[in-house]
Amino acid sequence: MKAIVIDQPGGPASLKWCEKPDLQPTPGRLTIDVAYAGVGYFEVLLSRGEFTSDFPLPLTPGLEVSGYVRSIGEGVEGFYVGQPVASMTLLDFNGFASMANVRPDLTVPLDQLGADLDLATAAASIVNLTTAYLAIKEVYRMRTGDNVLIHAAVGGLGGFFGQVAKRLGAGKVLGTVGSLEKAKHAASFGYDELFVRSDFAEQTLKATGQKGVHAVFDPVGGSMRKQSLEVLRPLGQLVVVGNASGEQDISHSFNQIWFSNKQFAGFTLGGYSESNPAETGKAAREALGMLARKEIRAEIHGVYPLEKAAEALALLEQKNTVGKLVLQV
């Protein structure tokens, strides 16, 4: 089998193309022939060696794949050889390869969604879309009519956040972007108003009549955290879903949280899937079903052959992409 490996930190340029022995069936797992693998900013961070204490090198990156069932491990039911599927490899990684052993709980049969969904779109969407769906529906538990603010509205994750929030009944959906050019594009993802990140606090309060929003979803991190608290109304919730800025963590006074009547929540799909695999898989099926029925849409910025994974990560690192990058195996 073919695979991409990171054996030492060094950014996207450190990715290496190699041959590995073919995978064999494993009890409790499905082996799939990978057709597409999604590319996310997390892989950029992995290539820099930012998580080596948790995920030691060498490793093959890749959190989401699509393809066809190659073999079925002992004890696995509900799948058949040749079936088109999408799967979240998450804490197991190994998506940037021509074969993958995947967990059945985190694998969605694409021929059971009730509508067609192509393999490239499934691989590009399953992790970000499931993250947005769970963060809005289960972490924040959004009520009909709630006004929400989403940072990085034009990214692979932000594009889904805006659409899912609207689909699940949000009132006003606001978003932040890095530039005016991106604001024009992000408007197609369900956002009512978009603000350049540098002055979002003032603009958000103005858009809500100085009342603030019910929730902020933040995949950016850094100084955005404290500014986000300023635009929350009483009992509003800041949901932390990433740290794409790479900035140092910030501290905050619990007494301030107490006195301000505001709430914090954190959500990471990988950790949640470890403790709640069945719930994660169910959410993925429901979310991909929305996509298959064209209730929401996905945008793929570019498709690269597997051997050019380093180029895809370098482009993502520059933060000049709109939508998702995908590797074709």
Side-chain angles (χ1 to χ4, degrees):
M1 60 179 268
K2 301 171 183 176
I4 298 294
V5 173
I6 304 171
D7 59 10
Q8 60 183 2
S14 65
L15 270 62
K16 294 183 178 179
W17 167 263
C18 68
E19 293 279 347
K20 288 184 172 183
D22 285 354
L23 297 178
Q24 301 302 314
T26 302
R29 291 285 198 269
L30 293 164
T31 302
I32 66 172
D33 287 317
V34 177
Y36 294 91
V39 181
Y41 200 77
F42 184 73
E43 279 87 33
V44 174
L45 299 178
L46 277 178
S47 72
R48 295 174 182 168
E50 295 196 16
F51 303 110
T52 51
S53 59
D54 296 309
F55 309 114
L57 304 178
L59 60 78
T60 292
L63 306 178
E64 55 196 334
V65 295
S66 66
Y68 299 94
V69 175
R70 178 187 180 95
S71 60
I72 301 171
E74 182 181 351
V76 177
E77 298 179 351
F79 297 88
Y80 61 87
V81 173
Q83 186 174 29
V85 296
S87 187
M88 297 173 283
T89 52
L90 297 172
L91 299 183
D92 294 329
F93 302 151
N94 297 311
F96 289 11
S98 57
M99 297 172 62
N101 280 340
V102 300
R103 297 171 59 171
D105 284 344
L106 302 181
T107 301
V108 177
L110 298 181
D111 57 350
Q112 295 178 11
L113 295 177
D116 291 337
L117 183 63
D118 66 272
L119 291 169
T121 301
S125 307
I126 187 169
V127 164
N128 282 338
L129 180 52
T130 304
T131 297
Y133 185 81
L134 281 168
I136 292 169
K137 187 176 181 182
E138 300 297 337
V139 180
Y140 171 57
R141 298 182 184 275
M142 190 182 72
R143 297 150 298 194
T144 301
D146 280 359
N147 298 326
V148 301
L149 173 70
I150 297 149
H151 292 312
V154 79
L157 180 58
F160 283 131
F161 259 110
Q163 295 181 86
V164 172
K166 272 294 183 186
R167 185 66 190 172
L168 295 182
K172 187 170 288 188
V173 179
L174 310 175
T176 70
V177 291
S179 66
L180 287 174
E181 287 183 0
K182 289 188 174 182
K184 295 175 184 177
H185 188 85
S188 65
F189 291 116
Y191 289 93
D192 296 298
E193 293 188 59
L194 290 148
F195 317 123
V196 175
R197 205 168 295 147
S198 57
D199 64 349
F200 82 89
E202 179 183 349
Q203 295 297 326
T204 299
L205 291 173
K206 181 180 178 181
T208 57
Q210 303 302 313
K211 292 181 178 180
V213 293
H214 295 87
V216 177
F217 297 92
D218 178 23
V220 178
S223 61
M224 301 289 285
R225 301 267 201 264
K226 286 188 176 180
Q227 290 178 281
S228 295
L229 289 171
E230 297 171 10
V231 303
L232 284 175
R233 61 174 61 198
L235 301 186
Q237 186 177 91
L238 169 60
V239 183
V240 175
V241 291
N243 188 43
S245 68
E247 293 183 24
Q248 289 285 341
D249 196 8
I250 63 168
S251 60
H252 198 79
S253 164
F254 280 101
N255 280 342
Q256 276 188 300
I257 298 171
W258 170 30
F259 292 136
S260 65
N261 291 302
K262 294 176 181 179
Q263 305 171 20
F264 278 103
F267 180 68
T268 173
L269 188 64
Y272 183 76
S273 71
E274 283 296 293
S275 58
N276 298 272
E279 292 86 346
T280 304
K282 180 175 181 289
R285 288 190 293 274
E286 292 172 354
L288 287 182
M290 295 169 64
L291 189 60
R293 295 189 297 272
K294 302 191 184 326
E295 296 169 7
I296 58 176
R297 70 179 184 87
E299 180 161 4
I300 296 177
H301 183 88
V303 179
Y304 290 76
L306 179 63
E307 60 267 27
K308 293 190 176 180
E311 291 184 27
L313 260 66
L315 182 63
L316 195 61
E317 187 176 41
Q318 296 164 13
K319 300 185 179 179
N320 289 326
T321 60
V322 176
K324 187 78 171 185
L325 298 178
V326 179
L327 301 178
Q328 185 172 15
V329 180

